[in-house]
Amino acid sequence: MTTISLPTAIDRRAVSGLTVEISDALAKGGALKLDGSAVQLVGQIGLQLLLAARKTASGRDARLSIETPSDAILTAAKISGTTDLLGLDTHDAA
Amino acid sequence: MQHDEIQQIFLLECDEGLDIAERSLLACKDGSGDAESINSIFRAVHSIKGGAGAFGFTPLQSFTHKFETVLQQVRDGDKPLTPGLLKTLIRAFDILTDHVSAIKGQADAPSDNAISAELEGIATGEIVPEEDSASTADPAPLPEAEPEATAEEESGREIAANDDADIDFDALLADLDVPESKEGGHVLHLRPTARALDNGSDPILLLRELHTLGATVRTVDASSVPDLDNFAAESAYLGWEIDVPASVTRAKIDEIFDFIGDACDLAIYVTGEEPRFVEQADPTVVKLPEAAPLAPTPEPEAPKVEPAAAPVPAIASIKPETAADPVSAPPAVNAVNSAAAAAPVATIRVDLDRLDRLVDTVGELVITQSMLAQRLSGAGVAAEDELSQLEYLTRELQDCAMALRAQPIRSVFSRVPRIVRELESETGKRVTLTVEGEATELDKTVIERIGEPLTHLIRNAIDHGLEPVEDRITAGKAAEGNVRLSAEQRGGHILICVADDGRGIDRARVFQKAVERKIVAPDARLTDEEIDNLIFAPGFSTAEQVSNISGRGVGMDVVKQAIQGLGGRVSISSEPGKGTVFSLSLPLTLAIADGMIVSSGGETLILPLNNVVESLQAKPEDLKRLTPSQHVINVRGSYLPVVPLTTSLGIGQIAEDSAQNVLIVVETESYGQIAIQVDAIQDQRQVVIKSLETNFRPITGIGGATILGDGRIALIVDVEALAAAAHSPKELDLAA
């Protein structure tokens, strides 16, 4: 199992590196965990990256989960209506 | 925008429409009109009708409908514009003006039964306008202009207006009504574009703001999100359908998206009228369960890294048409957006209070600049160039500020044609009115207060000045009398003239009436000018019969008082058999005046320079004592009363040797010249007038106050009141 720690801010600067990192990790197969505990800033770009990662995993029959999502992630997901699409536990939602 | 604000705009549009319609009607009357004139009248009446309907002014709407019907027939060539029909249209216009006054609360609703019946009869062909029934001559056709029929008209539908600049008040009001509804809210279809992610911007912030207001995402469309191989960080892939509760006004929603511009595709619908957002077979399109609005979410802690990434909406352009899908959006929403897009941007309306505050502040600046100049000069600081530049800039700023309050006199002059029409009808006289200088600008306060005296002068010119038609023909004049109304700027004043080519003032009769009314003594020897000025005496009238036009003997007195109240003067020039000219000289502004600074009894006072004729050092032999406290002075053979400023205003004692004092000869409207006795003349300069009524209380003999360059307050002398007191032994009520 691979775990990638998401950065404090999932912004445009962070996204390009993360895209490659997550894509490579998914290519290896197996389960991929994204540790979201440190994330303090996530907007539409970050949400889109997480959704793209989920879609890629789904297309490759890989498992991808967001573990210990921070309040920032949960809030952004709730406000944007993407909690389910990101596979987040609605009970965790702030 | 509130209901009252929209209604205010409508009322202003009414005024503008009436102005256009009247000018076009008069152009038709004097033969300079063409088919475009009729188009203009039609457009104006049609616009007023539209607004009247939107605001529920039913009588106005009903009347304009009848008026418009006849205008449309003329416009379409179905009815010729005969002299008789033109007269009817002009009368209808006058009633329309009354209707507009009524909805403004300025007058009672007019009785329009007769003219309405006439318009309806003309429209159906049952009535032929009065003058035309006697004549079979074909009317001269109007020069053609481009026809303005539209497809909408041809289809028989009501149209909002032909003029692109017209405002659709129905749409504005409909928009106003929506957010006030407690029944439903709005549904937003929001799709950020790639631009929404530029420069650190983030549409999630918009969602967050909506969320705090109780909005919830109904559907999220993530069907465009690619896999990571095709993912581009700079692209926007999400779209939302958002429920906004009724408690959030449309204005608030607009405010949230105010700075978004074309960074988002946004459509706003009234709940229940929204089209389908997206097909939801795709699993990445999630229709969220209906839920109670979520509690406001606390702001996340600020990121500790990447401070430059803090997202702020940074797009300044506004793209109103993105607010709604032109096909699917409800008409009301679209109409508002198109109205906003078409809104004129050349002018803005500003609260008068704000303008007045600006003018006031600039006045203070003028005073401060003057104080600074005096202080630096006293301290021997050589800063002439800088002070000169500062003074120039201050004056420029002052001129600009005063110009903001200036309005063209057109709004006053525009009432006159109707007055003339009514007087023609009442007196049987025929009048050609010539109006010049309508664009001349005057201070708003002067504009507001000049209407009544001007109206009376026009009435006087037609009622008393112009002869009856038969008398004019006998005198070898044209049957039609001429009245000319003009305005022009002359130096620091505006000159308004009302001239007629009538019989002129009958001075023998005026003198006789003045004697009968004990205004002058029978043996008084008066100049022509003095006799002419008798008509301004209170209670004077030469009219044999009191009419409702003029002749009550109060009008000309009121005219003079009103003009003097504005700091102006009235003068008369009359030539027997050739006519009379009344000239009103008015100050450009009421806020600034040229003043002569004098000292008297230890006080510094200001004499308005426009009253000052000359100043002189009195010689003992020039003064004659009438009573122990009253003197007169011989000025080139004329004896003028000497009015000591000290005793008149109760500010001290007259100097023992009054011959050493300075006398200022001032001209007054009511009492001719008087000589005001002061201790010394200090200076002459522009002063900013501060109202005593506003800042303290009115004081007889004092017209206002000002602040001098050294910071001291100086009172401005009311010369007229001083002269009045000199002619009655009663002392002025300064201490009251």
Side-chain angles (χ1 to χ4, degrees):
Chain A
M1 184 193 296
T2 307
T3 300
I4 294 175
S5 294
L6 296 174
T8 311
I10 314 178
D11 56 12
R12 184 176 293 193
R13 191 178 304 181
V15 158
S16 45
L18 274 174
T19 304
V20 176
E21 194 176 352
I22 294 171
S23 186
D24 288 350
L26 287 173
K28 289 177 187 168
L32 174 62
K33 288 186 179 179
L34 300 178
D35 180 358
S37 59
V39 175
Q40 292 182 16
L41 179 70
V42 58
Q44 184 168 337
I45 292 175
L47 290 173
Q48 288 180 164
L49 171 74
L50 297 176
L51 288 167
R54 293 268 299 177
K55 184 170 185 174
T56 306
S58 173
R60 295 179 188 174
D61 289 329
R63 284 192 61 222
L64 182 144
S65 60
I66 300 170
E67 300 293 319
T68 58
S70 67
D71 284 347
I73 292 177
L74 292 172
T75 301
K78 183 168 69 179
I79 287 171
S80 62
T82 52
T83 303
D84 288 345
L85 287 173
L86 291 171
L88 297 172
D89 187 342
T90 51
H91 296 294
D92 291 339
Chain B
M1 194 181 284
Q2 299 301 308
H3 183 282
D4 286 352
E5 291 174 300
I6 301 174
Q7 186 165 313
Q8 195 57 36
I9 291 172
F10 166 60
L11 295 177
L12 289 171
E13 299 280 328
C14 282
D15 288 342
E16 288 165 12
L18 289 174
D19 186 40
I20 291 167
E22 180 160 45
R23 282 196 237 173
S24 300
L25 280 167
L26 293 178
C28 291
K29 189 182 175 190
D30 69 19
S32 63
D34 58 14
E36 177 53 29
S37 304
I38 292 294
N39 275 335
S40 299
I41 304 164
F42 176 83
R43 279 198 299 267
V45 174
H46 185 83
S47 295
I48 293 173
K49 175 185 154 186
F55 288 98
F57 297 125
T58 311
L60 174 60
Q61 185 189 19
S62 169
F63 181 73
T64 43
H65 179 71
K66 293 162 194 158
F67 194 177
E68 178 193 61
T69 304
V70 176
L71 286 168
Q72 189 165 0
Q73 290 176 340
V74 176
R75 191 186 67 164
D76 294 347
D78 297 339
K79 279 207 179 350
L81 184 61
T82 59
L85 180 54
L86 182 59
K87 268 196 160 186
T88 303
L89 293 180
I90 289 173
R91 279 193 290 118
F93 170 81
D94 288 342
I95 295 294
L96 174 59
T97 307
D98 291 344
H99 268 296
V100 171
S101 296
I103 64 168
K104 288 178 179 174
Q106 296 170 347
D108 293 333
S111 169
D112 62 12
N113 293 340
I115 188 74
S116 289
E118 192 174 338
L119 289 171
E120 285 176 322
I122 290 170
T124 58
E126 292 167 8
I127 294 178
V128 177
E130 204 173 307
E131 282 193 9
D132 303 331
S133 57
S135 168
T136 53
D138 286 338
L142 290 168
E144 283 193 8
E146 286 298 311
E148 210 167 295
T150 66
E152 287 167 309
E153 283 179 283
E154 284 164 7
S155 69
R157 282 196 289 142
E158 287 289 330
I159 55 169
N162 290 332
D163 193 333
D164 290 341
D166 276 347
I167 296 173
D168 187 343
F169 290 105
D170 277 323
L172 281 175
L173 290 172
D175 175 58
L176 193 64
D177 291 341
V178 168
E180 288 170 359
S181 164
K182 300 296 178 194
E183 298 293 320
H186 291 88
V187 174
L188 314 185
H189 286 182
L190 174 68
R191 286 187 183 279
T193 66
R195 283 196 57 197
L197 304 175
D198 284 348
N199 304 317
S201 299
D202 192 345
I204 297 297
L205 293 178
L206 300 171
L207 295 181
R208 187 188 300 279
E209 193 163 352
L210 287 167
H211 180 67
T212 60
L213 296 170
T216 52
V217 171
R218 183 194 288 182
T219 310
V220 57
D221 176 12
S223 58
S224 302
V225 176
D227 58 23
L228 288 172
D229 294 339
N230 298 301
F231 185 80
E234 64 278 7
S235 296
Y237 300 113
L238 300 176
W240 290 276
E241 183 177 42
I242 303 161
D243 280 311
V244 183
S247 57
V248 181
T249 63
R250 167 65 193 255
K252 183 62 186 172
I253 298 171
D254 290 340
E255 191 182 310
I256 291 170
F257 290 96
D258 209 15
F259 294 98
I260 297 307
D262 57 0
C264 291
D265 289 332
L266 171 70
I268 304 173
Y269 305 98
V270 174
T271 302
E273 296 180 12
E274 69 279 10
R276 181 173 292 186
F277 181 51
V278 284
E279 293 299 329
Q280 290 163 24
D282 190 320
T284 50
V285 174
V286 176
K287 184 171 176 65
L288 302 177
E290 288 190 15
L294 297 164
T297 309
E299 289 291 318
E301 198 177 322
K304 296 187 177 78
V305 293
E306 305 283 7
V312 286
I315 300 147
S317 65
I318 297 171
K319 187 184 174 189
E321 60 271 22
T322 60
D325 180 340
V327 177
S328 56
V333 176
N334 272 338
V336 171
N337 289 330
S338 59
V345 293
T347 59
I348 59 166
R349 293 192 168 103
V350 181
D351 266 0
L352 195 55
D353 283 349
R354 291 190 187 183
L355 271 190
D356 286 346
R357 205 157 64 230
L358 173 66
V359 171
D360 217 37
T361 308
V362 171
E364 298 290 344
L365 180 65
V366 171
I367 292 167
T368 308
Q369 181 268 331
S370 176
M371 290 166 72
L372 179 66
Q374 192 157 333
R375 182 72 64 89
L376 290 177
S377 170
V381 177
E384 282 176 15
D385 288 348
E386 291 82 355
L387 279 177
S388 166
Q389 182 69 6
L390 178 62
E391 183 174 355
Y392 169 75
L393 290 174
T394 309
R395 296 288 176 205
E396 281 285 301
L397 183 58
Q398 190 177 38
D399 288 347
C400 291
M402 300 314 297
L404 292 177
R405 276 188 60 90
Q407 290 185 324
I409 201 167
R410 182 179 294 112
S411 60
V412 180
F413 279 11
S414 66
R415 304 179 202 168
V416 176
R418 179 175 182 180
I419 295 166
V420 172
R421 286 197 294 276
E422 288 173 350
L423 288 172
E424 278 185 302
S425 170
E426 290 174 37
T427 63
K429 295 176 183 176
R430 287 160 61 187
V431 183
T432 299
L433 174 71
T434 309
V435 179
E436 295 167 1
E438 292 171 284
T440 307
E441 293 192 328
L442 269 170
D443 184 270
K444 185 177 186 304
T445 305
V446 179
I447 292 278
E448 285 167 356
R449 289 160 61 181
I450 193 71
E452 196 174 333
L454 203 58
T455 299
H456 199 92
L457 285 177
I458 293 288
R459 286 176 175 273
N460 187 74
I462 295 173
D463 196 28
H464 294 312
L466 295 182
E467 313 92 328
V469 173
E470 53 272 25
D471 290 3
R472 287 183 67 86
I473 292 170
T474 305
K477 293 180 175 178
E480 284 209 342
N482 289 293
V483 172
R484 186 170 56 83
L485 177 61
S486 63
E488 62 178 307
Q489 183 172 346
R490 285 213 184 153
H493 285 74
I494 297 292
L495 185 67
I496 299 173
C497 292
V498 178
D500 66 68
D501 67 346
R503 57 170 75 96
I505 291 177
D506 184 344
R507 295 192 174 105
R509 188 153 160 254
V510 167
F511 184 78
Q512 182 194 342
K513 284 283 176 188
V515 171
E516 283 172 16
R517 289 162 200 241
K518 302 191 186 323
I519 294 170
V520 293
D523 57 349
R525 299 183 67 180
L526 304 179
T527 62
D528 286 350
E529 191 183 339
E530 286 168 331
I531 293 173
D532 291 347
N533 277 297
L534 286 173
I535 66 172
F536 289 119
F540 182 87
S541 175
T542 59
E544 299 298 338
Q545 289 183 327
V546 172
S547 70
N548 62 357
I549 302 169
S550 58
R552 291 193 186 90
V554 293
M556 299 308 283
D557 182 31
V558 170
V559 167
K560 189 178 179 186
Q561 282 179 7
I563 300 303
Q564 283 178 347
L566 291 169
R569 297 182 188 195
V570 192
S571 60
I572 310 172
S573 163
S574 184
E575 200 171 336
K578 291 194 174 175
T580 305
V581 181
F582 286 88
S583 304
L584 315 182
S585 175
L586 291 158
L588 274 175
T589 169
L590 302 181
I592 298 165
D594 286 315
M596 177 181 277
I597 303 173
V598 299
S599 56
S600 190
E603 296 288 334
T604 301
L605 297 130
I606 310 287
L607 295 174
L609 207 56
N610 61 348
N611 290 101
V612 174
V613 177
E614 62 180 318
S615 58
L616 41 97
Q617 191 89 36
K619 296 174 186 171
E621 58 270 27
D622 292 330
L623 287 172
K624 305 290 179 193
R625 187 187 295 264
L626 290 181
T627 68
S629 62
Q630 286 184 303
H631 291 77
V632 291
I633 182 171
N634 184 349
V635 179
R636 291 183 285 276
S638 294
Y639 283 93
L640 306 180
V642 176
V643 181
L645 213 46
T646 47
T647 50
S648 298
L649 298 177
I651 54 174
Q653 291 299 312
I654 186 169
E656 282 184 13
D657 184 2
S658 60
Q660 294 302 311
N661 291 329
V662 176
L663 296 175
I664 315 290
V665 178
V666 293
E667 179 80 44
T668 68
E669 295 291 347
S670 309
Y671 304 99
Q673 294 185 350
I674 61 170
I676 296 177
Q677 189 177 23
V678 301
D679 291 343
I681 297 171
Q682 292 182 7
D683 201 355
Q684 179 181 312
R685 68 175 55 163
Q686 269 198 333
V687 294
V688 179
I689 301 169
K690 300 284 179 186
S691 164
L692 275 187
E693 285 92 335
T694 307
N695 299 301
F696 182 49
R697 63 179 171 81
I699 295 175
T700 312
I702 301 296
T706 192
I707 302 170
L708 298 173
D710 58 5
R712 285 181 300 146
I713 290 174
L715 299 177
I716 300 167
V717 177
D718 180 352
V719 172
E720 288 293 329
L722 215 59
H727 282 76
S728 70
K730 198 173 141 191
E731 194 170 293
L732 288 176
D733 181 28
L734 187 69

